[in-house]
Amino acid sequence: MVAPLIIIGITLVAMLLCIIFDIKIKLGKVSIRVYWIVCLIGSIVCIACKFISSQSLKNVFASSENINPLKILAIFLSCTSLSVLLDKIGFFKYIAELALKKAKSNQTKLFFVFSFIVIILTIFTSNDILILTFTPFICFFTKRAKIDPTPYIVTEFVMANAWSMFFYIDNPTNIYLCSYFGINFLDYTLKMFIPTLIAGIVSLLIVYFLFRKKLKQKIELEDEEIVKPNSALLGIALAGLGVMVIMMVICPYIGLDIWYIPLACAVVTYFTMFIFLLATKQKLSILWQSFKNLPYELIPFLLSMAIIVSALQDVGFIELFANSLSGQHFIVIGIIAFLLGNLINNIPMSMLFTSVLAGMPFVYNNIYAVIIASNLCAFLTPIGALAGIMFMKILKENDVKYGLAKFMLYGLIVSIPALLLSLCGLLIF
């Protein structure tokens, strides 16, 4: 077991360093982040050294079960594509500017209106896309209004990650864990409603308490005309998203494999928009830009990590880890998953814990505890989620002073009570 653990350990450490320092390579005008390349190389070494059996390798790509990473990628990329499309149409910016106009000069009102909008959009779209879309807008309007951006960037990041527990399509870690253990859309939502509500409300109140004095400053912002998105394009995109959510609720009762739903909805939505743009003689660039901005790097990253986790399974590490956690209370498991997520990132942590939990006596609360940890571990350090690294990069590019020390300080204050109370919320049902 020593050689595989050394190889995999080196891979994970190298991956973390690449994420922390945002290491990239340039091929012409294209800039490629290196973290997933490191994981790909590590997985190839595992295959070459035969740390993973041929049957386990086959299961990574060709398993007929829900845990097939290719099916999980189909769900995640299809859901994300609809969120990206809404962004390119201008929906997110339009909603944010409406919030700014509604609040007028009252920062406290803006804080809560803005938080509510982030919550709603996170639930029905994607936390990562929302963070990447709203963060530049926050930097822009706070600079224009000459106010401190910190309360808004903190609440945006916290709300987007706390409320991404609501539906399991909101975060790839939710998708992976639910698919692995066969948890359907409705059962997940009913179980996670209370813990998500607790985490969201507790986090919001803590953030407000931290910044309540700063929010007393009035906003000095001139009124600007709000540009409305194309109503027809917006209608098509929202209809696709709505149908997808409804169908994912009912698909277990009609015997339909869930990964077909988001894929079909995304394809139909994009095709309908393509036909509409052609018929109205409008440019197709919005579709191209949406495809271009999908997180394709997640494909080799997730598949590589699936191979690495399977290798850990084959060499016996997963069994040892499962035995060490066997009999532990789900709150303890949630805390361990939370800490591990901040050491190796939430996606590898979730993939590791799926195999670990499969080797333990089956307890649903253990699964949900890991799901909670996979979302909330993003609070503590930027390593916890890939969106955290991109979030910090956007702030730096916009000259917003929000370093690692501040991130971890606020993250520590918010994450500990949110984690513990939301884990306790699992006891309600």
Side-chain angles (χ1 to χ4, degrees):
M1 192 187 296
V2 175
L5 289 182
I6 291 174
I7 297 296
I8 292 170
I10 291 171
T11 300
L12 293 176
V13 170
M15 175 197 75
L16 287 177
L17 291 174
C18 290
I19 290 175
I20 292 169
F21 295 104
D22 196 27
I23 298 173
K24 297 177 181 178
I25 55 175
K26 284 192 175 182
L27 298 175
K29 294 182 179 181
V30 179
S31 183
I32 301 173
R33 300 177 76 196
V34 174
Y35 76 92
W36 64 266
I37 299 176
V38 170
C39 293
L40 182 61
I41 293 171
S43 66
I44 292 171
V45 172
C46 286
I47 294 170
C49 294
K50 297 184 178 180
F51 298 151
I52 179 173
S53 68
S54 56
Q55 183 58 47
S56 297
L57 184 61
K58 181 182 177 182
N59 288 339
V60 171
F61 298 98
S63 172
S64 60
E65 303 297 326
N66 287 332
I67 59 171
N68 186 331
L70 294 176
K71 293 181 181 179
I72 294 165
L73 281 168
I75 296 171
F76 176 70
L77 290 175
S78 298
C79 295
T80 303
S81 70
L82 294 178
S83 298
V84 174
L85 188 58
L86 284 168
D87 173 36
K88 296 304 173 185
I89 292 170
F91 177 65
F92 293 154
K93 185 178 179 182
Y94 174 67
I95 294 295
E97 293 203 354
L98 282 179
L100 191 58
K101 188 174 182 179
K102 181 77 175 174
K104 297 180 180 178
S105 63
N106 190 324
Q107 275 207 73
T108 301
K109 186 176 180 181
L110 175 62
F111 176 85
F112 284 106
V113 171
F114 184 79
S115 298
F116 178 74
I117 288 171
V118 171
I119 290 167
I120 296 300
L121 293 179
T122 297
I123 289 172
F124 289 100
T125 57
S126 163
N127 63 334
D128 290 351
I129 299 301
L130 189 73
I131 288 168
L132 298 180
T133 302
F134 265 37
T135 305
F137 178 79
I138 293 171
C139 297
F140 171 73
F141 93 73
T142 52
K143 189 178 292 183
R144 189 156 58 94
K146 298 178 182 178
I147 56 176
D148 189 349
T150 309
Y152 302 98
I153 58 176
V154 173
T155 192
E156 174 217 27
F157 192 78
V158 167
M159 290 298 98
N161 285 290
W163 289 88
S164 62
M165 298 189 295
F166 193 90
F167 288 154
Y168 86 58
I169 59 172
D170 295 333
N171 197 318
T173 60
N174 304 350
I175 294 170
Y176 194 88
L177 283 153
C178 289
S179 297
Y180 192 104
F181 292 104
I183 299 172
N184 68 45
F185 190 94
L186 186 58
D187 287 345
Y188 172 89
T189 305
L190 292 174
K191 179 68 175 180
M192 287 300 293
F193 175 77
I194 296 297
T196 304
L197 200 65
I198 291 171
I201 292 174
V202 167
S203 300
L204 180 61
L205 292 177
I206 292 173
V207 174
Y208 172 70
F209 180 79
L210 287 172
F211 299 112
R212 67 193 186 284
K213 291 183 180 178
K214 290 185 178 183
L215 294 172
K216 291 180 180 179
Q217 180 186 347
K218 288 189 176 181
I219 305 173
E220 297 176 3
L221 197 62
E222 295 180 4
D223 285 338
E224 288 190 0
E225 185 180 352
I226 300 175
V227 179
K228 293 182 179 180
N230 184 297
S231 57
L233 297 180
L234 183 59
I236 293 170
L238 289 176
L241 184 65
V243 170
M244 181 187 73
V245 172
I246 294 169
M247 288 299 296
M248 289 185 82
V249 171
I250 66 173
C251 74
Y253 306 103
I254 58 177
L256 191 62
D257 199 342
I258 197 166
W259 71 276
Y260 288 116
I261 302 296
L263 181 61
C265 288
V267 170
V268 170
T269 301
Y270 273 79
F271 181 73
T272 303
M273 197 167 289
F274 174 77
I275 297 298
F276 175 80
L277 291 172
L278 281 181
T280 55
K281 298 181 180 179
Q282 297 182 53
K283 293 182 179 179
L284 301 173
S285 57
I286 191 170
L287 298 178
W288 162 245
Q289 288 297 321
S290 297
F291 278 120
K292 184 180 176 183
N293 283 274
L294 287 176
Y296 293 111
E297 60 192 25
L298 190 63
I299 298 174
F301 178 58
L302 193 148
L303 293 176
S304 298
M305 290 310 306
I307 291 170
I308 289 171
V309 170
S310 292
L312 288 172
Q313 177 87 51
D314 286 354
V315 300
F317 175 78
I318 298 295
E319 184 180 356
L320 286 176
F321 194 18
N323 289 338
S324 69
L325 292 179
S326 185
Q328 294 288 347
H329 195 274
F330 71 83
I331 292 179
V332 174
I333 289 174
I335 293 170
I336 293 171
F338 175 83
L339 296 173
L340 187 60
N342 276 288
L343 288 176
I344 65 170
N345 186 262
N346 63 346
I347 293 178
M349 179 277 288
S350 299
M351 299 180 78
L352 177 64
F353 260 90
T354 52
S355 296
V356 170
L357 295 179
M360 295 169 57
F362 190 80
V363 178
Y364 267 113
N365 277 349
N366 289 345
I367 303 166
Y368 289 113
V370 175
I371 289 172
I372 289 172
S374 73
N375 285 268
L376 299 188
C377 72
F379 289 8
L380 188 57
T381 68
I383 296 169
L386 294 176
I389 302 296
M390 294 183 278
F391 171 74
M392 295 293 283
K393 182 175 179 290
I394 292 169
L395 296 179
K396 187 177 180 181
E397 289 173 349
N398 285 272
D399 299 319
V400 174
K401 294 181 180 179
Y402 190 73
L404 182 61
K406 270 190 178 181
F407 188 108
M408 292 187 67
L409 174 62
Y410 294 133
L412 185 65
I413 294 169
V414 177
S415 64
I416 302 304
L419 174 69
L420 295 178
L421 290 173
S422 58
L423 286 172
C424 290
L426 290 173
L427 294 169
I428 293 173
F429 287 117

